[in-house]
Amino acid sequence: MAPKHRSAVGFNSTQLRDSANPRASVWDVLALPTGDMRGRPYEERRALMLDMVAGLPEGSPIQAVSATEDVEVARVWYETLTGSGVEGVVAKSGRSPYRAGRSSSWKKVRHAETIDAEVVGFTGAAGRPRALAVRLPDGRVALSQRLGAQLAAQVAAALVAVAPAARGRAAGGESFTAAESGLLVEVLAGTTRHAVVTVTRVR
């Protein structure tokens, strides 16, 4: 987890951007002047990271993400911190080395629900969209995470038949090509205001 803005924590951002109080959170260390740390267990990497953060000047904008080995504490965080924008928790094996991409040694547990959303645009080319702009039930337009190859091919069939309109902008500020396709998709959307949206299938 890492802050997304002044009062929310999200999985896909590493900086808290506020002109008066910029901050950043860290949860791992991959390399130090002494060498590559990726092969070391996570519990060792975290200890090294905490030492590094503790040695920063007072008032440093860099801070360590909270972590616990107590399952009950993690459950309390998961169940009570949604009001502050926390999307969920990440469970990691303390013995695991760092591996880029998905890994069986860690798992994200999000507050999320499946809902239907209208496709109102896309990024990339119509014939090969990277992500979709969708209108959520509350009226917000959000940009989805990157589409898998199969979903992208299914959506492309509908998008190429629609003449793209002007550029649009999602609630988070992301730009996309507007296209009123009439297409509905099922999305997994977090329950927090700044939640990640993942397309699961075409309706």
Side-chain angles (χ1 to χ4, degrees):
M1 295 183 292
K4 294 184 75 174
H5 66 91
R6 190 163 188 173
S7 62
V9 177
F11 290 117
N12 294 316
S13 176
T14 58
Q15 292 187 345
L16 189 74
R17 299 184 182 277
D18 182 274
S19 58
N21 185 27
R23 288 176 287 163
S25 284
V26 292
W27 57 87
D28 205 343
V29 60
L30 306 185
L32 291 172
T34 53
D36 191 336
M37 301 291 116
R38 290 176 293 181
R40 295 197 182 189
Y42 177 67
E43 57 192 6
E44 290 186 19
R45 300 198 313 274
R46 180 169 175 84
L48 290 167
M49 180 200 71
L50 292 176
D51 287 344
M52 180 181 65
V53 172
L56 294 174
E58 184 177 354
S60 169
I62 299 174
Q63 53 192 281
V65 169
S66 298
T68 180
E69 295 181 356
D70 189 320
V71 174
E72 290 305 315
V73 171
R75 185 175 287 114
V76 170
W77 288 350
Y78 178 79
E79 293 175 350
T80 63
L81 296 180
T82 55
S84 61
V86 172
E87 292 181 357
V89 298
V90 177
K92 290 191 175 187
S93 168
R95 297 186 298 273
S96 62
Y98 175 82
R99 293 187 179 90
R102 295 285 183 181
S103 171
S104 60
S105 64
W106 61 269
K107 182 176 179 59
K108 295 177 182 178
V109 183
R110 285 192 175 104
H111 292 278
E113 57 185 10
T114 300
I115 55 177
D116 288 344
E118 178 189 1
V119 176
V120 296
F122 58 92
T123 64
R128 194 175 182 181
R130 288 194 301 268
L132 297 179
V134 297
R135 182 175 289 116
L136 301 175
D138 62 4
R140 287 182 298 124
V141 174
L143 204 62
S144 77
Q145 291 191 299
R146 192 180 184 96
L147 300 174
Q150 184 176 358
L151 272 173
Q154 292 175 342
V155 173
L159 294 179
V160 294
V162 180
R167 300 292 292 177
R169 196 166 291 277
E174 308 95 331
S175 178
F176 62 88
T177 301
E180 298 290 339
S181 64
L183 187 67
L184 284 179
V185 292
E186 182 182 87
V187 301
L188 190 65
T191 56
T192 60
R193 181 180 176 186
H194 297 271
V196 172
V197 172
T198 304
V199 177
T200 56
R201 63 172 174 156
V202 177
R203 281 296 194 186

